[in-house]
Amino acid sequence: MVKDGATHLRSLRDARSIFIDGRRVADVTTDPAFAVAVASAASLYDLQAEDPEGMTFDLGDGTRTGLAWMLPRNHGDLVRRRRAMERIAARSCGMMGRSPDHVASTFVGFMAGLHAYDARGRAALAGYFDQARRADHWLAYVIINPQADKSKQARDQPGGDLVARIVDEDTGGITIRGAKMLATAGVMANEIMVSGIVALMPGDEPYAFTAVTPLATKGLKLASRRSYEAAASSVFDYPLSSRFDENDALVFFDDVKIPWDRVFVHRDLRMMQAQWHETRAHVMQNHQCIVRLSVKLRFLLGLAHRIAETNGILGFPQTRETLGLLAAKASSIEALVIAMESQGEDFFGTFVPDRRLLASAQVIAQTTYPEFIDAIRGLSGGGLVMLPSSAADFDGGEIEHMIQASQRSPVAGSEERVKLMKLAWDAIGSEFGSRHLQYEMFYSGPQFAIRGNSYRFHDWTGPKAMVQGFMDSYGLDRPDAKAAAE
């Protein structure tokens, strides 16, 4: 059987500790802060159940699970995974960045580099991977430290308990205490991985671990940010916020015990970095990110075109220039996805995307998304601001009469125009839209780090040889050099 949405919803009704607005949430599947987004999340499993052939694969014993858990063996497998990820992203117009295929892809990357772990870590990782993909778990992760004094290492932060660390261990496992961020989609996940991606130094061994635990584990607490879903007055007014707020949360580990068979890295400073780059975890997880972004840009491109039509400016040369530039940028991301797959490599039996081209896509993505947002703002103008206060203004009376008189378009009625502009505002200007701008600019890391990866992963041999080869083809035309040659 294929996991469906109802099964996922049942799995979330557990003892997890989620806090928001000064209260503990009793049930994320029914709470007004999360219920609709959680239902949207569950629908991703319905998508798999509706089309098992297109969205899942057989583990070899009749068990089918999401294609994100597949270790691709060739280019065809990689493309098959990507097409499933595109369909997952399309369900939310690309707005759910940490859908279940994201961390699953991370674990596929870990498994591709299983040889990089020590014997105990290999056994734990392989065992957990088999368990998680058979259950088709939705996994979240927290790999970033809470912001404090960035000039200091985690162990030097004042006050203690800021960053999650190992405070005890015994034959049963490790106990961790402290915080991590950002648990995007954590409220709708089954389990959470805690680790770190920032380089550690000698003395940081208590912070050097990677482990997974269920969301309902005793002592595990999530403090949610503001719920955009709860603040949305209606689907008409906030069509994205009201349905696709995957949420972010601070995670605090209050002496959380994690058994050894769920601990993959233990007090190993080198392995904390190696797990991302000596495996192909960083590649596989960000392949999913770029695939999801390509779908999101396709949506925003359509939105920009629709706004231009609605405002009667599609025939203006400057409008076509803007839309042409956006189309080229969206197409370039799609082209990089195809290219990184076509130029992929066999990495110890797993076919993975080319990480040089992946890094290029990440660099371009960080500047492309803000450019899309600015362009849509320009195409929309004041129409984004001068909108009815809410759907309630369509009252069939005096207020609606004013709306019909003032909300005009050569191609749409007043209701359709307002509907479009409300969608555009939610995508680029609301709290939800602003959060997405911040997310797309920084989720993969600061620009200097992403551009640094592009530098590290690029093969400079060929470009340097071209320059040197051409320079070797000429020199100073010295008379004494000619005489010496004669």
Side-chain angles (χ1 to χ4, degrees):
M1 293 186 63
V2 177
K3 180 179 178 181
D4 61 12
T7 301
H8 185 64
L9 289 175
R10 285 195 299 272
S11 72
L12 303 183
R13 298 185 182 110
D14 54 22
R16 62 189 58 203
S17 298
I18 313 291
F19 297 89
I20 189 170
D21 296 330
R23 61 185 176 83
R24 179 173 174 172
V25 175
D27 183 348
V28 295
T29 70
T30 59
D31 192 275
F34 309 113
V36 179
V38 168
S40 297
S43 77
L44 299 178
Y45 287 104
D46 285 331
L47 182 62
Q48 293 186 169
E50 292 159 7
D51 182 14
E53 290 299 320
M55 299 297 295
T56 70
F57 73 107
D58 193 329
L59 292 177
D61 59 0
T63 301
R64 300 195 71 89
T65 192
L67 273 166
W69 291 104
M70 173 191 281
L71 274 74
R73 299 305 181 190
N74 50 50
H75 175 257
D77 283 350
L78 190 59
V79 171
R80 186 182 172 196
R81 285 182 84 254
R82 184 246 297 166
R83 288 174 177 161
M85 290 191 293
E86 286 175 331
R87 291 176 65 183
I88 289 172
R91 273 287 174 105
S92 67
C93 304
M95 297 292 170
M96 297 189 76
R98 291 295 186 255
S99 47
D101 48 336
H102 180 71
V103 182
S105 295
T106 304
F107 272 82
V108 165
F110 286 157
M111 288 297 293
L114 191 61
H115 60 277
Y117 294 82
D118 62 26
R120 193 207 57 77
R122 283 196 299 274
L125 178 56
Y128 179 76
F129 181 77
D130 182 66
Q131 171 195 335
R133 72 173 181 169
R134 285 184 178 278
D136 206 355
H137 277 332
W138 186 318
L139 304 182
Y141 64 16
V142 279
I143 58 176
I144 302 297
N145 297 338
Q147 292 184 348
D149 187 342
K150 288 192 173 184
S151 68
K152 296 180 179 180
Q153 291 292 108
R155 66 178 184 274
D156 297 324
Q157 297 292 337
D161 294 343
L162 176 70
V163 180
R165 71 191 192 282
I166 299 172
V167 294
D168 191 22
E169 56 188 78
D170 55 28
T171 57
I174 63 173
T175 299
I176 59 176
R177 181 190 305 153
K180 282 280 186 176
M181 67 178 205
L182 300 159
T184 303
V187 298
M188 56 194 67
N190 297 116
E191 306 204 339
I192 190 165
M193 182 183 85
V194 53
S195 185
I197 200 166
V198 177
L200 299 175
M201 299 175 64
D204 289 334
E205 286 78 6
Y207 303 91
F209 66 93
T210 299
V212 178
T213 192
L215 261 296
T217 303
K218 181 181 178 181
L220 178 60
K221 304 171 184 178
L222 272 66
S224 172
R225 62 150 167 79
R226 173 179 166 84
S227 169
Y228 307 143
E229 173 186 328
S233 54
S234 72
V235 176
F236 185 87
D237 293 311
Y238 296 96
L240 300 173
S241 303
S242 61
R243 292 184 286 180
F244 304 127
D245 182 15
E246 61 189 336
N247 212 270
D248 311 282
L250 176 79
V251 181
F252 190 78
F253 298 87
D254 190 2
D255 288 354
V256 172
K257 183 70 173 286
I258 304 178
W260 288 113
D261 61 0
R262 288 169 166 264
V263 179
F264 318 131
V265 178
H266 175 240
R267 296 183 180 271
D268 190 330
L269 301 178
R270 188 199 68 81
M271 194 61 214
M272 287 297 285
Q273 286 296 295
Q275 69 182 332
W276 303 110
H277 300 298
E278 289 184 23
T279 70
R280 285 297 181 266
H282 194 263
V283 171
M284 295 305 293
Q285 68 182 30
N286 285 299
H287 174 247
Q288 183 274 340
C289 290
I290 297 299
V291 169
R292 190 265 318 160
L293 178 65
S294 71
V295 173
K296 191 175 187 178
L297 293 181
R298 197 178 309 152
F299 168 74
L300 292 178
L301 184 63
L303 184 62
H305 194 278
R306 184 71 174 271
I307 289 169
E309 288 179 310
T310 300
N311 282 344
I313 59 174
L314 190 57
F316 293 4
Q318 59 269 40
T319 299
R320 290 176 176 261
E321 178 188 9
T322 296
L323 292 175
L325 179 60
L326 295 183
K329 288 179 179 293
S331 296
S332 67
I333 295 294
E334 290 185 6
L336 281 167
V337 169
I338 294 170
M340 71 178 73
E341 293 169 351
S342 298
Q343 297 297 312
E345 62 170 332
D346 185 299
F347 185 75
F348 295 92
T350 302
F351 192 85
V352 300
D354 180 271
R355 62 178 181 174
R356 174 180 65 91
L357 294 174
L358 173 66
S360 298
Q362 287 185 282
V363 169
I364 294 170
Q366 284 190 316
T367 56
T368 294
Y369 193 82
E371 289 168 349
F372 263 69
I373 300 306
D374 285 345
I376 292 174
R377 287 183 181 277
L379 293 169
S380 302
L384 281 179
V385 179
M386 200 62 262
L387 288 169
S389 57
S390 75
D393 287 338
F394 288 90
D395 62 348
E398 182 178 7
I399 307 176
E400 186 167 350
H401 176 74
M402 288 191 289
I403 293 172
Q404 291 172 346
S406 59
Q407 296 285 346
R408 301 288 185 87
S409 165
V411 298
S414 58
E415 181 180 327
E416 188 69 11
R417 176 185 170 83
V418 171
K419 183 178 181 180
L420 174 65
M421 289 301 180
K422 290 271 189 181
L423 171 60
W425 178 251
D426 205 15
I428 72 171
S430 65
E431 278 191 280
F432 177 90
S434 297
R435 179 264 181 196
H436 273 263
L437 175 60
Q438 195 76 1
Y439 176 87
E440 297 293 356
M441 291 176 65
F442 295 106
Y443 78 85
S444 58
Q447 283 191 350
F448 74 87
I450 302 307
R451 295 175 183 183
N453 284 340
S454 180
Y455 176 84
R456 288 194 302 119
F457 298 151
H458 195 86
D459 184 356
W460 296 99
T461 306
K464 289 165 61 179
M466 286 182 67
V467 173
Q468 189 60 52
F470 184 74
M471 292 179 66
D472 289 344
S473 71
Y474 65 93
L476 287 172
D477 191 14
R478 295 179 181 273
D480 54 340
K482 286 185 176 181
E486 292 174 356

